[in-house]
Amino acid sequence: MVMEIFLRLAVVFFAAFCSAAGSKHVYHTPERRSTGASFGATYFVDGQYGNDSNAGTLQAPFLTLTKARDTIRSLKSSLGGSLPAGGVLVQVRGRDYPFLSAPFTLTQQDSGTAQSPIVYQSYPGDAPAHLLAGAYVTPNMYTPVTDQSVLNLIGNGTSVVQVNLKQLGILTYGDLATGSLGNCNNNKLELFYPNRVEISQWKNTSTLWLHGFWSYDWADNYVKVVSVNTTLSAFVINNVTTPPLYGFLSSARYYALNILEELDAVNEYYVDRGSGILYIYSPPQDKGCVSVGSSVISMTGVSYVSFVGFTMDCSRGTAVSASSAVNVTFSNCTIGSNGGSSLSISGYNNTLERLEVSGNGCGGISVSGGNQLSLTPGFNTLKDSSIHDWSRWKRTYQPGLSWSGVGNSFINNTIYNGPHSGILGKGNDCIFSGNVLRDLCYEVTDSGAFYSGRSWISGGNIVANNVFMNIITTEKVYLGSPSVQAIYLDDQMSGFEVINNTFINCYAGTFIGGGRSNVVTGNVYVNCTTAVHIDNRGLTWQPTYCSTGGMFSQQLQSVNYTQPPWSLHYPQLVNITTDHPCVPCYNLISGNIYCRVKQFVDFNSTIATVQWLANIFNNTQDCSVLNPPTSLTTASSASSPTTASSTSSPTTASSASSPTTASSASSPTTASSASSPTTESSASSPTTASSASSPTTASSASSPTTASSASSPTTESSASSPTTASSAFSPTTASSASSPTTESSASSPTTSSSASSPTTASSASSSTTENSASSPTTENSASSSTSESSTSNPLTGAYNPTTVSSNLSSGTREECAWLVSVVMGVCLSFIMTAVFNGL
């Protein structure tokens, strides 16, 4: 009898345990620690307790990644140029690994193979291993300011303290650079903190610069100040070595930067590049990172190498570059807070997945690969990643995603909070699907969240099942109308397919600027000024591009378009030079749905059909899309993917079926919390716009250009902090010099003066300081953290593709699992009893 009772209880508890173990909602088993059992060789690296004279085992790890790399080289050499079957795993403990003088460099000799790959992995269970190109500054390193000449500028009794960078071995500091269109040129030293930090400078005019949109609201650059004309209250700028991009117009918006005596706000800092002293106002009680090295990882000609679960940041340039790469993978990495971009990769069959990218001075990620002449696909993929809050230093033509090449895929990514384009590039046969692009182009005009332009040969690209939201200009602009597009096929770009996308709160949804053979079908447009635009610029103001011998003819000749593979892959190009050249012909606009749209098209449909040979039909106004089932859940505008900070997959807000949507229909979300990069405008509230209170003068080539001065200092967010909806360029209200506003100097538009003397520019109605950003590149929980809501659609009922929530809560599932397990256990116990009695 005792044996029978024991068997019954044992079976019940065994069944309950098995059922519970199979339900992920009941037990969370500890993360498995990989020992590299499936690899031919495994090495361990510990940046704190390791030693490069060790054997590289778990008990005796190496100190550096360089030692691990060199050991793999030796292993490979000892095996006659091969690696052991299964490859090599390098487990990197969760420490700091600085690369100050040179990046971690891999070349072709450091490659793996398909059968024997090399994997560098952050040790499971540890915090992510931190690869950085900077040096730490801790609170105990700061000392009081004693230099009287500095105290004369900032005042006695100030909260400013200093640290001597030279004593830390940091001897170079970089400098500001003008930056041409699309060229960032940012290599200056920056200070990154987990909390908000800013930078400033002033009276020494040899350090002064102006940053502005000088002729167009889609092109910005920096100009050097030669001197300050106190009589005219104007700056004299260098119009030869650092000229304003496209010249200088009277209504240009700009601000001044580099002002030592404006150190008057918490966490503002200034670097004296002569003495090597960093001054900071009330520094955080935390360690910061001073960028020193140009990059973190450099790879050339490498194949079958993976990096998994790392944090990489604090470089002056692009953190990670991989050229001519094949089967290289970056997975579950956080790469942000860099002076340049996060990652640039070219080659074939490379994978970027579950990356968190933010806080860069320039762009986000660059992907290229494939061969256009032979139309060989690159098969590179970027997926399930988050890119946000970039372009702190250069505001335009530094996209979140830069792309080129043939046959690459960009799937389920979330790209948001950028002042200009989210995706920019051109190529062939690339796929963009399941992405969410929101809160973009808010500081510019004549730009696109997804931008591509000027080609007849960049065809076969598919933009499908994406969400575009809040693509509107929210800054006050002075050099054009606030027209921005969600998808911008500029300057006769042709051969795109725009299918099944959702456009919410966009100035223009799909903009075809004179191009041909574009397909726009199955899309939904809600709360847009214009759904679809087509123009005929090739017949009016841009005929040179499409005429015989023009740009497009040269492009066609460069790829032998009348011969295979081009003549077979793109047969419509074979006779293009005689088939209505310059006419925006053969565009298909059909099967689209729109609601609350001012105008579905902004052109004459009859003319487009008859003269442009367009097919426009079956486009329907249908507001039933505004009433999705109540079971659908929506993510608020602040939502963003969770930071990818460990080897486990980070949660992302973008998926083909449930893209994240923004709750605010009217303004971009800011990202400026303690853990996020600093914003250019005030973290808590955008700078208010005011009219131009002090017009400035600007002269042409030979006369001094002046820009009138004003009285309130502004702050400029340096390459370490992203811009919010209210950016550096929004006009500011008047304020005293003792309380700087954020980067907003455009409160005084400039006026032109005569053309005969050196260029001068006004002291942008306010002086500015540079804001630095955070090392951890996560998004602000207050304004941009992930949040799910089951409330009504945030855009007043606007269509919002989302996932359907389960009918069972996790608690209900647990109860059901245990109930089923107990019933199963009782049944099994009776069976076992019967068998026992039978025996």
Side-chain angles (χ1 to χ4, degrees), residues 169-217:
I170 303 172
L171 305 178
T172 61
Y173 316 108
D175 207 343
L176 285 70
T178 180
S180 58
L181 187 69
N183 190 340
C184 194
N185 287 342
N186 186 37
N187 68 345
K188 67 182 185 296
L189 176 146
E190 299 182 87
L191 176 61
F192 296 91
Y193 264 96
N195 298 300
R196 184 179 182 184
V197 181
E198 302 167 358
I199 185 170
S200 82
Q201 301 172 7
W202 192 231
K203 254 181 188 175
N204 180 2
T205 57
S206 64
T207 68
L208 288 180
W209 289 73
L210 306 178
H211 180 206
F213 290 79
W214 305 111
S215 289
Y216 298 100
D217 280 315

Tab-separated table of all heavy atoms in Angstrom, residues 169-217:
chain	number	residue	atom	x	y	z
A	169	GLY	N	46.822	61.095	-20.797
A	169	GLY	CA	47.449	60.568	-21.998
A	169	GLY	C	46.693	60.912	-23.271
A	169	GLY	O	46.993	60.373	-24.345
A	170	ILE	N	45.713	61.818	-23.177
A	170	ILE	CA	44.931	62.228	-24.346
A	170	ILE	C	45.545	63.519	-24.871
A	170	ILE	O	45.415	64.584	-24.252
A	170	ILE	CB	43.458	62.419	-23.978
A	170	ILE	CG1	42.893	61.132	-23.374
A	170	ILE	CG2	42.651	62.834	-25.204
A	170	ILE	CD1	41.499	61.280	-22.805
A	171	LEU	N	46.185	63.447	-26.026
A	171	LEU	CA	46.974	64.565	-26.525
A	171	LEU	C	46.383	65.215	-27.775
A	171	LEU	O	46.825	66.296	-28.181
A	171	LEU	CB	48.404	64.103	-26.822
A	171	LEU	CG	49.134	63.421	-25.653
A	171	LEU	CD1	50.523	62.974	-26.095
A	171	LEU	CD2	49.222	64.346	-24.449
A	172	THR	N	45.440	64.569	-28.424
A	172	THR	CA	44.805	65.151	-29.605
A	172	THR	C	43.314	65.291	-29.346
A	172	THR	O	42.711	64.447	-28.684
A	172	THR	CB	45.025	64.270	-30.849
A	172	THR	OG1	44.440	62.983	-30.633
A	172	THR	CG2	46.519	64.114	-31.132
A	173	TYR	N	42.724	66.345	-29.904
A	173	TYR	CA	41.347	66.665	-29.558
A	173	TYR	C	40.453	66.884	-30.776
A	173	TYR	O	39.259	67.111	-30.623
A	173	TYR	CB	41.320	67.922	-28.659
A	173	TYR	CG	42.380	67.849	-27.598
A	173	TYR	CD1	43.514	68.653	-27.656
A	173	TYR	CD2	42.289	66.909	-26.564
A	173	TYR	CE1	44.512	68.556	-26.699
A	173	TYR	CE2	43.283	66.801	-25.606
A	173	TYR	CZ	44.400	67.622	-25.674
A	173	TYR	OH	45.384	67.508	-24.738
A	174	GLY	N	41.033	66.799	-31.964
A	174	GLY	CA	40.232	67.024	-33.159
A	174	GLY	C	39.772	68.464	-33.235
A	174	GLY	O	40.095	69.294	-32.391
A	175	ASP	N	39.005	68.765	-34.254
A	175	ASP	CA	38.488	70.124	-34.408
A	175	ASP	C	37.222	70.076	-35.235
A	175	ASP	O	36.868	69.054	-35.819
A	175	ASP	CB	39.527	71.024	-35.079
A	175	ASP	CG	39.350	72.482	-34.675
A	175	ASP	OD1	38.267	72.832	-34.159
A	175	ASP	OD2	40.288	73.273	-34.876
A	176	LEU	N	36.558	71.195	-35.280
A	176	LEU	CA	35.363	71.289	-36.095
A	176	LEU	C	35.749	71.342	-37.564
A	176	LEU	O	36.868	71.738	-37.899
A	176	LEU	CB	34.563	72.539	-35.735
A	176	LEU	CG	33.772	72.481	-34.413
A	176	LEU	CD1	34.695	72.507	-33.216
A	176	LEU	CD2	32.786	73.640	-34.348
A	177	ALA	N	34.855	70.925	-38.427
A	177	ALA	CA	35.095	70.961	-39.866
A	177	ALA	C	33.825	71.416	-40.561
A	177	ALA	O	32.721	71.264	-40.036
A	177	ALA	CB	35.527	69.590	-40.382
A	178	THR	N	33.982	71.961	-41.754
A	178	THR	CA	32.845	72.582	-42.429
A	178	THR	C	31.788	71.581	-42.855
A	178	THR	O	30.609	71.786	-42.623
A	178	THR	CB	33.315	73.414	-43.634
A	178	THR	OG1	32.186	74.012	-44.260
A	178	THR	CG2	34.069	72.566	-44.646
A	179	GLY	N	32.173	70.458	-43.492
A	179	GLY	CA	31.207	69.458	-43.918
A	179	GLY	C	30.447	69.863	-45.160
A	179	GLY	O	29.655	70.798	-45.148
A	180	SER	N	30.693	69.170	-46.267
A	180	SER	CA	29.968	69.436	-47.508
A	180	SER	C	28.677	68.639	-47.517
A	180	SER	O	28.346	67.957	-46.543
A	180	SER	CB	30.843	69.073	-48.712
A	180	SER	OG	31.232	67.708	-48.650
A	181	LEU	N	27.927	68.703	-48.624
A	181	LEU	CA	26.664	67.983	-48.705
A	181	LEU	C	26.910	66.485	-48.591
A	181	LEU	O	27.624	65.893	-49.389
A	181	LEU	CB	25.963	68.292	-50.031
A	181	LEU	CG	24.547	67.742	-50.168
A	181	LEU	CD1	23.611	68.477	-49.216
A	181	LEU	CD2	24.048	67.881	-51.600
A	182	GLY	N	26.352	65.869	-47.557
A	182	GLY	CA	26.522	64.442	-47.346
A	182	GLY	C	27.830	64.046	-46.701
A	182	GLY	O	28.078	62.861	-46.474
A	183	ASN	N	28.688	65.010	-46.397
A	183	ASN	CA	29.984	64.703	-45.790
A	183	ASN	C	29.983	65.226	-44.366
A	183	ASN	O	29.865	66.421	-44.131
A	183	ASN	CB	31.110	65.354	-46.597
A	183	ASN	CG	32.483	64.875	-46.163
A	183	ASN	OD1	32.650	64.366	-45.066
A	183	ASN	ND2	33.457	65.041	-47.031
A	184	CYS	N	30.160	64.331	-43.412
A	184	CYS	CA	30.019	64.702	-42.009
A	184	CYS	C	31.298	65.325	-41.437
A	184	CYS	O	31.242	66.321	-40.732
A	184	CYS	CB	29.608	63.483	-41.190
A	184	CYS	SG	29.019	63.883	-39.532
A	185	ASN	N	32.452	64.735	-41.713
A	185	ASN	CA	33.733	65.295	-41.261
A	185	ASN	C	33.772	65.568	-39.763
A	185	ASN	O	34.179	66.630	-39.330
A	185	ASN	CB	34.045	66.612	-41.992
A	185	ASN	CG	34.460	66.387	-43.430
A	185	ASN	OD1	34.837	65.285	-43.786
A	185	ASN	ND2	34.374	67.416	-44.245
A	186	ASN	N	33.355	64.636	-38.983
A	186	ASN	CA	33.352	64.838	-37.532
A	186	ASN	C	34.393	63.946	-36.878
A	186	ASN	O	34.253	62.732	-36.852
A	186	ASN	CB	31.976	64.519	-36.953
A	186	ASN	CG	31.898	64.848	-35.476
A	186	ASN	OD1	32.472	65.821	-35.025
A	186	ASN	ND2	31.195	64.035	-34.728
A	187	ASN	N	35.466	64.533	-36.359
A	187	ASN	CA	36.487	63.730	-35.690
A	187	ASN	C	36.928	64.358	-34.379
A	187	ASN	O	38.004	64.062	-33.867
A	187	ASN	CB	37.707	63.554	-36.609
A	187	ASN	CG	38.454	64.875	-36.831
A	187	ASN	OD1	37.918	65.941	-36.530
A	187	ASN	ND2	39.658	64.806	-37.343
A	188	LYS	N	36.106	65.245	-33.845
A	188	LYS	CA	36.511	65.949	-32.639
A	188	LYS	C	36.269	65.113	-31.387
A	188	LYS	O	35.429	64.218	-31.364
A	188	LYS	CB	35.765	67.280	-32.528
A	188	LYS	CG	34.275	67.156	-32.302
A	188	LYS	CD	33.627	68.531	-32.258
A	188	LYS	CE	32.166	68.444	-31.906
A	188	LYS	NZ	31.380	67.732	-32.909
A	189	LEU	N	37.029	65.421	-30.350
A	189	LEU	CA	36.851	64.763	-29.057
A	189	LEU	C	35.501	65.137	-28.485
A	189	LEU	O	35.057	66.275	-28.580
A	189	LEU	CB	37.972	65.199	-28.117
A	189	LEU	CG	37.935	64.693	-26.673
A	189	LEU	CD1	39.359	64.484	-26.164
A	189	LEU	CD2	37.203	65.663	-25.741
A	190	GLU	N	34.852	64.150	-27.892
A	190	GLU	CA	33.571	64.385	-27.236
A	190	GLU	C	33.551	63.688	-25.882
A	190	GLU	O	34.342	62.778	-25.617
A	190	GLU	CB	32.420	63.864	-28.086
A	190	GLU	CG	32.297	64.528	-29.437
A	190	GLU	CD	31.117	63.993	-30.211
A	190	GLU	OE1	30.015	64.534	-30.019
A	190	GLU	OE2	31.281	63.038	-30.971
A	191	LEU	N	32.636	64.119	-25.043
A	191	LEU	CA	32.449	63.518	-23.730
A	191	LEU	C	31.069	62.886	-23.688
A	191	LEU	O	30.061	63.552	-23.905
A	191	LEU	CB	32.577	64.577	-22.636
A	191	LEU	CG	32.311	64.117	-21.197
A	191	LEU	CD1	33.298	63.033	-20.781
A	191	LEU	CD2	32.387	65.315	-20.242
A	192	PHE	N	31.038	61.591	-23.433
A	192	PHE	CA	29.780	60.851	-23.374
A	192	PHE	C	29.502	60.430	-21.929
A	192	PHE	O	30.393	59.934	-21.239
A	192	PHE	CB	29.852	59.592	-24.241
A	192	PHE	CG	30.025	59.876	-25.707
A	192	PHE	CD1	31.295	59.970	-26.262
A	192	PHE	CD2	28.930	60.038	-26.532
A	192	PHE	CE1	31.460	60.224	-27.607
A	192	PHE	CE2	29.082	60.290	-27.873
A	192	PHE	CZ	30.351	60.386	-28.417
A	193	TYR	N	28.270	60.631	-21.491
A	193	TYR	CA	27.844	60.228	-20.156
A	193	TYR	C	26.547	59.437	-20.261
A	193	TYR	O	25.781	59.613	-21.209
A	193	TYR	CB	27.589	61.452	-19.272
A	193	TYR	CG	28.744	61.835	-18.397
A	193	TYR	CD1	29.638	62.813	-18.815
A	193	TYR	CD2	28.944	61.246	-17.154
A	193	TYR	CE1	30.705	63.185	-18.015
A	193	TYR	CE2	29.991	61.623	-16.348
A	193	TYR	CZ	30.875	62.589	-16.769
A	193	TYR	OH	31.922	62.945	-15.973
A	194	PRO	N	26.279	58.602	-19.240
A	194	PRO	CA	24.964	57.965	-19.196
A	194	PRO	C	23.853	58.983	-19.018
A	194	PRO	O	22.711	58.736	-19.301
A	194	PRO	CB	25.050	57.043	-17.978
A	194	PRO	CG	26.501	56.823	-17.773
A	194	PRO	CD	27.165	58.107	-18.190
A	195	ASN	N	24.204	60.186	-18.526
A	195	ASN	CA	23.217	61.240	-18.364
A	195	ASN	C	23.555	62.398	-19.283
A	195	ASN	O	24.593	62.414	-19.930
A	195	ASN	CB	23.194	61.715	-16.903
A	195	ASN	CG	22.789	60.603	-15.975
A	195	ASN	OD1	21.706	60.068	-16.089
A	195	ASN	ND2	23.677	60.222	-15.070
A	196	ARG	N	22.702	63.391	-19.282
A	196	ARG	CA	22.855	64.502	-20.209
A	196	ARG	C	24.121	65.305	-19.934
A	196	ARG	O	24.398	65.692	-18.815
A	196	ARG	CB	21.635	65.416	-20.095
A	196	ARG	CG	21.662	66.541	-21.079
A	196	ARG	CD	20.425	67.394	-20.950
A	196	ARG	NE	20.449	68.454	-21.939
A	196	ARG	CZ	19.532	69.393	-22.014
A	196	ARG	NH1	18.541	69.397	-21.180
A	196	ARG	NH2	19.616	70.322	-22.934
A	197	VAL	N	24.863	65.589	-20.973
A	197	VAL	CA	26.076	66.399	-20.887
A	197	VAL	C	26.127	67.330	-22.082
A	197	VAL	O	25.701	66.988	-23.164
A	197	VAL	CB	27.339	65.520	-20.850
A	197	VAL	CG1	28.575	66.370	-20.737
A	197	VAL	CG2	27.272	64.567	-19.680
A	198	GLU	N	26.660	68.535	-21.878
A	198	GLU	CA	26.721	69.502	-22.946
A	198	GLU	C	28.129	70.084	-23.051
A	198	GLU	O	28.938	69.944	-22.159
A	198	GLU	CB	25.708	70.626	-22.699
A	198	GLU	CG	24.287	70.086	-22.588
A	198	GLU	CD	23.311	71.082	-22.043
A	198	GLU	OE1	23.734	72.197	-21.701
A	198	GLU	OE2	22.127	70.745	-21.963
A	199	ILE	N	28.391	70.794	-24.165
A	199	ILE	CA	29.714	71.390	-24.382
A	199	ILE	C	29.554	72.826	-24.848
A	199	ILE	O	28.614	73.159	-25.532
A	199	ILE	CB	30.521	70.580	-25.411
A	199	ILE	CG1	31.928	71.127	-25.530
A	199	ILE	CG2	29.876	70.573	-26.771
A	199	ILE	CD1	32.853	70.240	-26.334
A	200	SER	N	30.452	73.717	-24.445
A	200	SER	CA	30.362	75.105	-24.890
A	200	SER	C	31.730	75.740	-25.066
A	200	SER	O	32.740	75.152	-24.721
A	200	SER	CB	29.547	75.923	-23.888
A	200	SER	OG	30.345	76.332	-22.810
A	201	GLN	N	31.778	76.956	-25.651
A	201	GLN	CA	32.999	77.749	-25.881
A	201	GLN	C	32.602	79.142	-26.366
A	201	GLN	O	31.525	79.306	-26.893
A	201	GLN	CB	33.934	77.069	-26.908
A	201	GLN	CG	34.358	75.685	-26.476
A	201	GLN	CD	35.119	74.933	-27.560
A	201	GLN	OE1	35.451	75.467	-28.608
A	201	GLN	NE2	35.394	73.702	-27.292
A	202	TRP	N	33.532	80.217	-26.194
A	202	TRP	CA	33.110	81.537	-26.704
A	202	TRP	C	34.218	82.548	-26.911
A	202	TRP	O	34.910	82.473	-27.903
A	202	TRP	CB	32.023	82.106	-25.827
A	202	TRP	CG	31.274	83.299	-26.331
A	202	TRP	CD1	31.063	84.448	-25.654
A	202	TRP	CD2	30.598	83.457	-27.567
A	202	TRP	NE1	30.289	85.302	-26.378
A	202	TRP	CE2	29.985	84.734	-27.571
A	202	TRP	CE3	30.436	82.672	-28.703
A	202	TRP	CZ2	29.228	85.221	-28.618
A	202	TRP	CZ3	29.690	83.159	-29.751
A	202	TRP	CH2	29.097	84.416	-29.702
A	203	LYS	N	34.597	83.481	-26.081
A	203	LYS	CA	35.243	84.741	-26.400
A	203	LYS	C	36.429	84.669	-27.334
A	203	LYS	O	36.646	85.570	-28.116
A	203	LYS	CB	35.682	85.460	-25.135
A	203	LYS	CG	34.818	86.634	-24.785
A	203	LYS	CD	35.290	87.336	-23.533
A	203	LYS	CE	34.304	88.383	-23.113
A	203	LYS	NZ	34.628	89.033	-21.865
A	204	ASN	N	37.250	83.688	-27.213
A	204	ASN	CA	38.372	83.547	-28.140
A	204	ASN	C	37.796	83.258	-29.523
A	204	ASN	O	37.394	82.161	-29.840
A	204	ASN	CB	39.289	82.413	-27.691
A	204	ASN	CG	40.466	82.239	-28.622
A	204	ASN	OD1	40.622	82.997	-29.584
A	204	ASN	ND2	41.285	81.251	-28.343
A	205	THR	N	37.793	84.292	-30.379
A	205	THR	CA	37.118	84.156	-31.672
A	205	THR	C	37.805	83.168	-32.604
A	205	THR	O	37.219	82.758	-33.604
A	205	THR	CB	37.033	85.526	-32.374
A	205	THR	OG1	38.357	86.058	-32.524
A	205	THR	CG2	36.191	86.488	-31.560
A	206	SER	N	39.021	82.780	-32.283
A	206	SER	CA	39.702	81.806	-33.135
A	206	SER	C	39.052	80.428	-33.042
A	206	SER	O	39.305	79.562	-33.869
A	206	SER	CB	41.181	81.701	-32.748
A	206	SER	OG	41.309	81.189	-31.426
A	207	THR	N	38.215	80.216	-32.039
A	207	THR	CA	37.554	78.917	-31.885
A	207	THR	C	36.102	78.936	-32.341
A	207	THR	O	35.440	77.909	-32.314
A	207	THR	CB	37.598	78.475	-30.409
A	207	THR	OG1	36.760	79.349	-29.630
A	207	THR	CG2	39.014	78.487	-29.860
A	208	LEU	N	35.603	80.086	-32.744
A	208	LEU	CA	34.175	80.209	-33.056
A	208	LEU	C	33.810	79.661	-34.428
A	208	LEU	O	34.528	79.864	-35.406
A	208	LEU	CB	33.755	81.673	-32.989
A	208	LEU	CG	33.675	82.292	-31.598
A	208	LEU	CD1	33.241	83.733	-31.706
A	208	LEU	CD2	32.716	81.514	-30.718
A	209	TRP	N	32.660	78.999	-34.478
A	209	TRP	CA	32.072	78.515	-35.723
A	209	TRP	C	30.590	78.872	-35.738
A	209	TRP	O	29.979	79.116	-34.691
A	209	TRP	CB	32.233	76.998	-35.838
A	209	TRP	CG	33.626	76.517	-36.084
A	209	TRP	CD1	34.657	76.490	-35.193
A	209	TRP	CD2	34.130	75.983	-37.311
A	209	TRP	NE1	35.776	75.979	-35.791
A	209	TRP	CE2	35.484	75.643	-37.081
A	209	TRP	CE3	33.578	75.756	-38.566
A	209	TRP	CZ2	36.287	75.094	-38.073
A	209	TRP	CZ3	34.370	75.191	-39.552
A	209	TRP	CH2	35.716	74.871	-39.300
A	210	LEU	N	30.039	78.870	-36.940
A	210	LEU	CA	28.593	78.991	-37.114
A	210	LEU	C	28.098	77.754	-37.849
A	210	LEU	O	28.754	77.257	-38.755
A	210	LEU	CB	28.236	80.239	-37.932
A	210	LEU	CG	28.769	81.585	-37.457
A	210	LEU	CD1	28.336	82.682	-38.427
A	210	LEU	CD2	28.281	81.904	-36.054
A	211	HIS	N	26.945	77.285	-37.460
A	211	HIS	CA	26.323	76.129	-38.110
A	211	HIS	C	24.950	76.555	-38.607
A	211	HIS	O	24.139	77.067	-37.838
A	211	HIS	CB	26.187	74.974	-37.114
A	211	HIS	CG	25.563	73.746	-37.691
A	211	HIS	ND1	24.882	72.832	-36.914
A	211	HIS	CD2	25.502	73.274	-38.957
A	211	HIS	CE1	24.441	71.847	-37.678
A	211	HIS	NE2	24.802	72.098	-38.933
A	212	GLY	N	24.694	76.345	-39.902
A	212	GLY	CA	23.415	76.799	-40.402
A	212	GLY	C	22.972	76.141	-41.692
A	212	GLY	O	23.716	75.422	-42.354
A	213	PHE	N	21.709	76.408	-42.030
A	213	PHE	CA	21.140	76.080	-43.332
A	213	PHE	C	21.211	77.377	-44.140
A	213	PHE	O	20.338	78.231	-44.049
A	213	PHE	CB	19.681	75.624	-43.184
A	213	PHE	CG	19.522	74.287	-42.523
A	213	PHE	CD1	19.614	74.154	-41.146
A	213	PHE	CD2	19.263	73.155	-43.280
A	213	PHE	CE1	19.458	72.919	-40.531
A	213	PHE	CE2	19.102	71.909	-42.679
A	213	PHE	CZ	19.211	71.796	-41.302
A	214	TRP	N	22.241	77.532	-44.947
A	214	TRP	CA	22.585	78.842	-45.499
A	214	TRP	C	21.772	79.217	-46.736
A	214	TRP	O	21.473	80.395	-46.938
A	214	TRP	CB	24.075	78.897	-45.819
A	214	TRP	CG	24.933	78.555	-44.643
A	214	TRP	CD1	25.704	77.442	-44.465
A	214	TRP	CD2	25.087	79.319	-43.446
A	214	TRP	NE1	26.329	77.457	-43.239
A	214	TRP	CE2	25.961	78.604	-42.592
A	214	TRP	CE3	24.560	80.527	-42.996
A	214	TRP	CZ2	26.343	79.061	-41.338
A	214	TRP	CZ3	24.935	80.997	-41.749
A	214	TRP	CH2	25.809	80.262	-40.934
A	215	SER	N	21.445	78.262	-47.585
A	215	SER	CA	20.699	78.592	-48.809
A	215	SER	C	19.470	77.716	-49.023
A	215	SER	O	18.536	78.125	-49.697
A	215	SER	CB	21.611	78.459	-50.037
A	215	SER	OG	22.559	79.503	-50.064
A	216	TYR	N	19.512	76.517	-48.500
A	216	TYR	CA	18.382	75.600	-48.620
A	216	TYR	C	18.130	74.949	-47.262
A	216	TYR	O	19.063	74.668	-46.511
A	216	TYR	CB	18.664	74.509	-49.661
A	216	TYR	CG	18.888	75.024	-51.064
A	216	TYR	CD1	20.169	75.156	-51.569
A	216	TYR	CD2	17.807	75.374	-51.874
A	216	TYR	CE1	20.393	75.632	-52.859
A	216	TYR	CE2	18.008	75.845	-53.167
A	216	TYR	CZ	19.307	75.971	-53.646
A	216	TYR	OH	19.515	76.443	-54.914
A	217	ASP	N	16.873	74.684	-47.012
A	217	ASP	CA	16.533	74.045	-45.743
A	217	ASP	C	16.741	72.540	-45.774
A	217	ASP	O	16.223	71.830	-44.915
A	217	ASP	CB	15.081	74.368	-45.371
A	217	ASP	CG	14.947	75.746	-44.745
A	217	ASP	OD1	15.769	76.081	-43.882
A	217	ASP	OD2	14.026	76.490	-45.136
